[in-house]
Amino acid sequence: MPKLKNSQIAALTLLALPVLVYLALYLAPLASIGRLSVDNGALSQRFPALSARFGETEAPDDAAAAALLTDLKAMARTERAEAGRLFNQELGGMRSLIIDTGGAATQIEPTLSALTAFDPRWGEPAIWEVVRRNVEPITWRHFQRATGLKPSAEGGFEMSPGDDVYLRILLRTFVIGLQVTALTLLIGYPLAYAAATGSRRVQAVVLMAVLLSFWTSLLVRTTAWVVLLQTNGLLNGLLMWLNLIPEPLQLIFNRFGAVVAMTHVLLPFAILPMINVMRTIPAAQTQASRSLGAGPVESFLRVYFPQSLRGVAVGGGTVFILALGFYVTPALTGGPGDQMLSYYIADFVRRGLNWGMAAVLSIFLLVCVVALLVSGALLRRAFGWSRSSAASGGTG
Amino acid sequence: MTSLEIRKIDKFYGVHQALFDVSLSIGKGEFVTLLGPSGSGKTTLLKILAGFETVSGGEITLDGRNITELKPEARNFGLVFQGYALFPHMTVRENIAYPLKVRRMPRDAVATRVREMLDLVQLARFIDRKPSELSGGQQQRVALARALAFRPDVLLLDEPMSALDKKLRVDLQEELRQIHQTLGTTFINVTHDQEEAMHMSDRIAVMNHGRIEQFDTAFALYRHPGARFVAEFIGKSNIFPGELTREDGGSAIFRAEGMEMRLDAGSRTPGAADLMVRPEDVLLGTAPAAGRVNLPAEVLGSTYSGDRALYALKLASGRALSAYGAARSGVHPEGAQVFASFSPEDATLIG
Amino acid sequence: MSKVVYWVSLSFAFFFLAAPLLIVLPLAFNDSSFLTYPMEGFTFRWFGVFFDTPPWLSSLANSFKVALGTTLAALLIGGLAAMGVMLLGRWGRIVMSALFVSPLVIPSVVLGVAMAYAFGRAGWGGGYLSLVFAHTILAAPLVFLAVTTSLMGLDPELDRAAASMGASRWRRFHTVTLPLAMPGFATGALFAFITSFDEVVVALFLSTPQTQTLPITLFSSLRDRLEPTIVVVALLLSIVSCLFILALNRLQRRGAGR
Ligand SMILES: Nc1ncnc2c1ncn2[C@@H]1O[C@H](COP(=O)(O)OP(=O)(O)OP(=O)(O)O)[C@@H](O)[C@H]1O
Ligand SMILES: [Mg+2]
């Protein structure tokens, strides 16, 4: 064993507990998502005979039918219902097929023809294909459902129309993320500029407002928007009182509500990095530009703005990454057509108890976030930008 | 009676060599100063002595004990930092008591020693202040008291006065000198202020580019520099490059452009040599002086400082020469033709 | 002209940033069950409702319990991690820092799913324990950052000075380094508390009706029906945030004053 220096021993002693805790409470749970996404234990354990049979040959023959019936007989009723529910996630109608067949399993003879006689669907190869795929210990059905890609008869992949639901949702997540990022930058830039270059008083007031907003619970800020935007809420009331609109507008539970509320919630994350960068731009530079004959607008555009872009990039990147994973705000202010990936992840767990789909969509989200972070780091290196010190707080 | 022996120290930072073959023998109770221009390796040598840097070669012994590999906390060397490094969360008392508590000294002995040290640096009134409530000079003295409180074998000081103003510096130099005499501890001081070095030190080690150029008393460095760098770095000097030849009788003759003189060259071998003459040894007159080396020169300018004037002169050979002249009866005007003269006894061969 | 553009855009942005809360929060005192202006009168009635109607008060208590537990655990984990990482070499430092900070960038929903599944299998169920565990992972990175920042700001000469006076590594650590890093720990503790106190998403996956925290109760009643009590809760949470900012400000000023 190599001799350890004193400081290394001290470091190991100090780090042992944190690393263990991170492993147990953070890394292991994250890793379990990977396993969940392909895990088929719930089905494969219930069909031991059938999965053993398919281990030898994949043909739906009498032996397969017998194995199926043996497994169904061995299950309690609730277990059959659960198995049916899981099969149903892959193909509609499977639940009733499994439950009915299982209920009558003792009366059916263990042959394929008897099974087909009981329910003609057992004669279809497609049904057997679904069964076969789903009694293996590892399944790709969640990934297939999430991407809409299914293995085709020719060995490649095919996508049937309408199966790209989750790809569309992913796209929508990106679109909303971009809309929110653009808005936060647009609204945040003047605030950051004022906080960095304004008079003392302006700086203090703007910075205080930004920090207050930053540290106020995102749920509280979302609540404010729910109250403001509801059908008979404050904003509609104001607009009607001003005679601008004859009847209340639908301002919430649609894209408008979701984007406005998210923009507000994420605004500080765009502003703080911009302030950090703008504070490093010496005022003398703009003055120098003015003394060299450029007007205020030209000085701003040619001297100040290019130097502030680093902050814009950091702020925008932060907002975009946080927006991709947003849940609370769109859940409370968006409509059904404005929900983002996170919503479906939560929904799969809370309503359907479909951990597999939740895990696959979580992986989608994680991959996007990690890819963005990595490309951000590469960009930063390419431009020679130093690390920003903007600490991002909790996410929603 | 050597106490601290530094033998053939080399130090590399990567490929850059910061110290070359540094050797010093420092006696017990001596006040030694490391003097040299910026980047010459003074701090590096001090850090090695304190144990914060490792050596790449060579060794250090204290009273015959090899301490080269000893950890800083095991050396019992006091260290006064350039930025003082007082603990901001402790009072003056706690700062000074720190090394004593580390050594598990009994409580009342600690209290006595703290008082004693504060009396030594004349800060007894400030015992319960925090460092942030003290002036720079006061902080400096607390740092000194703290570094001396545990009676270290050697006290290392890294540019202890550099952050102070001129007046305070001179006062502190005097105080430091007295403390040194009172305690009899070995002091090793780092500075690039030659006046400070000459005021305080028993011996000065002049460093340049990671080497010790000369290690001697202030007088020897000034009057008999061992190298051209030392001659130029310490005080003002006029240096004439020339050639040394020996006659059959053994007496030496030095020749340079426009001058020739006989001088005592000890056992020097003939060949190229540099002659140094300090400006205060040069006299200016309107006629050549007898028994001296006379050089006709033109006055280029002078700076008058009350007690004397420093002249910038141009010799017939085109070389520059500087000389101090008494200024009681006015100064030689610009453009005046004069004779600059010096006695061969005042000239020193270097290099 | 450019001045006009600047002031108009600044005013709009500032209004957008600050107005929603300023407009909505006073409705907590509105003597009407509709959340609209003009206010019909001033009342504390809705605060009474908050204190009398069952889930609110108990979920406030739950929030405090969980946040306190989280603060302690995150201080321990994040603090140890920060101190340990300081002793590592360049690469060790980069890798371990990335690990310790990484929970900040993982979408909370993903963490929620992962923890709900893993904690459920481990049998910790929906109790306080699992909430504290989950929030500790969310809060420890903030403690880690705060403590690391304050440790990096320390003058390395102070440690050397202590060493030159004979203090051992451990003694230097607890007499010099630790006391000077205290503000970092205090800041980290504040971050941890507020993170846990305001956390919604992960708690949504982990809490049961018995351990429901205040943000969860607020979230479900927002989906249910808008009533003035909701604004009362929002006001209370905002007050906690303001207290937090005040405390943070205090700390920073003390740090700078030394
Ligand atoms: N940690 C280090 N890594 C690499 N090079 C170093 C390091 N410390 C010092 N050096 C180099 O070693 C040489 C000596 O530096 P040192 O600090 O000893 O000079 P110094 O005499 O104290 O100068 P100053 O009077 O400016 O303090 C310099 O060239 C410096 O660049
Ligand atoms: Mg130095």
Side-chain angles (χ1 to χ4, degrees), chain B residues 47 52 72-73 77 79 81 83 85-90 98-99 101-104 146 150, chain C residues 155 157-169 171-172 175-176 179-180 257-258:
Chain B
K47 279 192 182 152
F52 293 123
E73 58 262 39
F77 280 18
L79 183 50
F81 289 80
L86 294 177
F87 302 131
H89 58 305
M90 299 183 192
Y98 188 86
K101 287 188 188 149
V102 167
R103 286 169 175 73
R104 309 260 183 281
R146 188 178 70 172
F150 57 102
Chain C
D155 181 357
E157 298 258 281
L158 294 178
D159 187 64
R160 292 204 190 127
S164 80
M165 287 180 277
S168 63
R169 172 186 292 284
R171 186 174 194 111
R172 299 203 296 271
T175 57
V176 179
L180 290 173
R258 199 169 49 207

Side-chain angles (χ1 to χ4, degrees), chain C residues 1 23 92 126 244:
Chain C
M1 182 56 209
I23 293 174
F244 162 81

Side-chain angles (χ1 to χ4, degrees), chain A residues 5-19, chain C residues 80-89 96 100 169:
Chain A
K5 275 194 299 187
N6 268 345
S7 69
Q8 281 170 321
I9 295 175
L12 285 180
T13 320
L14 288 170
L15 289 176
L17 181 65
V19 168
Chain C
L80 282 177
M83 295 183 301
V85 162
M86 292 305 285
L87 297 176
L88 294 175
M96 292 313 278
F100 287 127
R169 172 186 292 284

Side-chain angles (χ1 to χ4, degrees), chain C residues 129-220:
Chain C
L129 199 62
S130 63
L131 276 175
V132 169
F133 281 170
H135 283 183
T136 299
I137 292 299
L138 293 175
L142 298 171
V143 177
F144 175 82
L145 286 175
V147 175
T148 305
T149 310
S150 77
L151 285 176
M152 301 246 269
L154 287 188
D155 181 357
E157 298 258 281
L158 294 178
D159 187 64
R160 292 204 190 127
S164 80
M165 287 180 277
S168 63
R169 172 186 292 284
W170 168 241
R171 186 174 194 111
R172 299 203 296 271
F173 178 72
H174 80 93
T175 57
V176 179
T177 312
L178 208 53
L180 290 173
M182 257 324 159
F185 281 93
T187 311
L190 281 175
F191 284 166
F193 186 89
I194 203 80
T195 301
S196 169
F197 198 76
D198 284 345
E199 208 283 329
V200 198
V201 182
V202 175
L204 216 48
F205 285 93
L206 290 177
S207 67
T208 60
Q210 286 77 44
T211 58
Q212 186 165 308
T213 56
L214 193 56
I216 300 302
T217 314
L218 178 57
F219 182 77
S220 20

Side-chain angles (χ1 to χ4, degrees), chain A residues 22 26 215 219 264 350 395, chain C residues 16-17 100 102 108 215 241 244:
Chain A
Y22 265 63
Y26 171 58
W215 287 112
L219 192 54
H264 183 253
R350 287 163 61 78
T395 57
Chain C
F16 180 76
L17 178 72
F100 287 127
S102 64
S108 339
S241 299
F244 162 81

